[in-house]
Amino acid sequence: MRKMAIGVAAFAATSLLLAGCAGGTGDTPAPSETEEAPIDASGITLTIWTDENRKPAIEAAAATFEEETGGEIELVQKNFEDIRTDFTNQVPTGEGPDITIGAHDWLGGLVQAGVVAPVDLTDAASSFAPVSLDAFTYDGQLYALPYSLETIALIQNTDLVGEDAPATWDDMIAAGEESGAERPVVINTAGQTGDAYTMYGFQTSFGAPVFESTADGYTTDVGMGGDAGTAFAEWLGANGEKGEGYISTTIDYDTNNELFADGKAAYTIQGPWAIEALTAKDVPVKVNPIPSAGGETAAPFVGVQGFYVSSQSKNALVAQEFLTKYLATYDAQKALYEADPRIPAWNDLATEVSSDPVIAGFVASSANGVPMPNIPEMGSVWDLWNAAQVQVIKGADPAKTWDKMVSDLEALIG
């Protein structure tokens, strides 16, 4: 579900794809100077891996591709949970697909395994949300065509606190307490496990990112140490079980949603996947960006999904053509959205579906967000990071606990 404006480097494919396709014959009209002729893909079959939800939408783009190019598309339906492992294992053997759907946080591992190729979206790049391009960028190169985003946001009970977005944590707490709700805010900590993902917007508002980044993407330098990290840890402790009590390790995902749905909490931090549960008892909601706790903009993680090209594809140029000419279109992106509604990465479509105020709120939150790091080292972070947050929430010394977590993480990453 969640485990979403760098310069795009690419291999020069498009001009090669169009070579020899400049004119028409017989009854086929020649393209205008501004319209490129479809590639001739006769005799070529592209294999694409997808899951059940997205398959019908890709079929529509595939049909157009087949009609216009003479090529064929073979869609292979797989469980999404199996795609990453199967792709990594099969591509080096010469098996696997030409294109696969996948999540952006797979990217670092896929690049290290040598199983994905860069892509060039050419003029279509400007149609996508910058955060979605950043998410699929590694060492300055773009490796996938994005199509959807997901993030978390502030969700508020409008009967209790109205629709206005609080600018800061303190503003939110004050409004929640004034509302008379049993709790001003409820936040999932996954109980005793910890949930650094949900807390990340507050952490970044102190200027303490999990990893440092450059124009080329994330580095392996841990960014949540130093004064900024200590300030966040002290804030977490002050609002934890030995402090104000707003953040508690007694709150897991289901408890969080039940308390809000019962009208016992004025605010919560959740993703679009929780809206049905949060409104199960007809609580009216407004979705807004997460308020700042540390003075800087709260930047939650953004997860992105899109389409990768196999580094071993024998039809790489045709695969590139399918992505840039048949999936990087309004119609294809809308079909994908309708098949499996997520925040669209395509800017115009995101604007269109934002007529739904709930979606509009998550779109606004994603605009403040940052991609979850796509480097392989991210997989080493969660256990130490979650555990440190739980200890601080339960009353451990914030500075010492946080410093030890950072030191242990740096040693683990090496």
Side-chain angles (χ1 to χ4, degrees):
M1 173 170 58
R2 61 187 188 198
K3 311 226 196 135
M4 285 78 118
I6 294 173
V8 176
F11 58 104
T14 305
S15 59
L16 296 175
L17 288 172
L18 302 177
C21 298
T25 58
D27 296 330
T28 303
S32 69
E33 293 182 1
T34 59
E35 181 183 354
E36 297 173 339
I39 188 174
D40 181 3
S42 301
I44 292 175
T45 298
L46 289 181
T47 300
I48 301 175
W49 283 1
T50 181
D51 61 0
E52 180 180 9
N53 290 345
R54 271 69 69 93
K55 185 179 179 182
I58 301 172
E59 284 175 341
T64 303
F65 171 85
E66 291 178 340
E67 179 181 353
E68 293 185 355
T69 70
E72 295 185 4
I73 300 287
E74 178 188 12
L75 289 179
V76 178
Q77 181 178 310
K78 297 180 69 70
N79 292 324
F80 189 81
E81 294 76 12
D82 298 333
I83 289 177
R84 180 182 186 177
T85 299
D86 290 353
F87 187 79
T88 303
N89 290 339
Q90 292 187 32
V91 167
T93 69
E95 301 297 326
D98 299 286
I99 297 171
T100 186
I101 198 165
H104 90 271
D105 53 323
W106 303 355
L107 178 55
L110 297 180
V111 172
Q112 285 197 346
V115 296
V116 287
V119 300
D120 181 6
L121 299 186
T122 62
D123 293 341
S126 62
S127 296
F128 292 95
V131 69
S132 71
L133 300 176
D134 291 351
F136 280 118
T137 298
Y138 192 86
D139 285 343
Q141 291 188 307
L142 183 70
Y143 279 91
L145 176 130
Y147 97 86
S148 73
L149 312 174
E150 61 183 16
T151 194
I152 58 175
L154 180 71
I155 301 170
Q156 57 200 67
N157 181 328
T158 58
D159 277 351
L160 294 174
V161 292
E163 296 191 358
D164 291 343
T168 68
W169 169 270
D170 290 342
D171 292 341
M172 180 188 70
I173 295 298
E177 290 182 335
E178 185 179 349
S179 75
E182 182 179 304
R183 299 167 183 255
V185 64
V186 61
I187 298 177
N188 173 35
T189 65
Q192 301 293 318
T193 301
D195 189 358
Y197 177 96
T198 295
M199 297 302 302
Y200 193 62
F202 296 120
Q203 181 175 319
T204 54
S205 77
F206 285 86
V210 58
F211 286 108
E212 300 289 355
S213 59
T214 69
D216 288 336
Y218 284 102
T219 72
T220 58
D221 295 329
V222 178
M224 52 186 171
D227 292 343
T230 298
F232 168 69
E234 290 176 344
W235 171 86
L236 190 62
N239 288 281
E241 294 169 6
K242 298 297 179 64
E244 298 293 340
Y246 300 131
I247 303 171
S248 170
T249 59
T250 63
I251 305 299
D252 61 16
Y253 180 85
D254 290 332
T255 303
N256 180 98
N257 296 347
E258 289 170 7
L259 287 169
F260 187 88
D262 287 339
K264 295 180 179 179
Y267 297 93
T268 190
I269 308 293
Q270 270 291 11
W273 48 81
I275 288 294
E276 183 176 356
L278 295 173
T279 59
K281 298 180 181 179
D282 298 324
V283 167
V285 299
K286 177 74 188 309
V287 180
N288 283 311
I290 295 170
S292 175
E296 300 184 22
T297 300
F301 279 134
V302 177
V304 186
Q305 293 199 6
F307 296 88
Y308 293 104
V309 175
S310 166
S311 62
Q312 300 302 310
S313 171
K314 296 180 177 61
N315 306 304
L317 298 180
V318 179
Q320 168 86 6
E321 177 86 347
F322 180 73
L323 291 185
T324 58
K325 300 298 191 301
Y326 296 90
L327 285 184
T329 68
Y330 170 85
D331 288 344
Q333 296 289 313
K334 185 172 185 179
L336 286 163
Y337 171 79
E338 291 174 343
D340 184 41
R342 301 166 184 258
I343 302 169
W346 190 265
N347 292 322
D348 289 347
L349 184 58
T351 299
E352 179 182 320
V353 301
S354 290
S355 58
D356 181 327
V358 169
I359 295 175
F362 286 111
V363 170
S365 184
S366 72
N368 289 343
V370 292
M372 184 187 295
N374 55 22
I375 56 178
E377 289 79 5
M378 189 64 192
S380 303
V381 169
W382 296 106
D383 289 346
L384 290 170
W385 193 16
N386 285 333
Q389 290 200 7
V390 165
Q391 292 167 30
V392 171
I393 292 168
K394 291 174 71 67
D397 182 274
K400 290 182 180 179
T401 303
W402 202 256
D403 286 348
K404 184 178 187 304
M405 179 271 292
V406 171
S407 296
D408 289 347
L409 181 56
E410 289 173 336
L412 180 64
I413 291 174

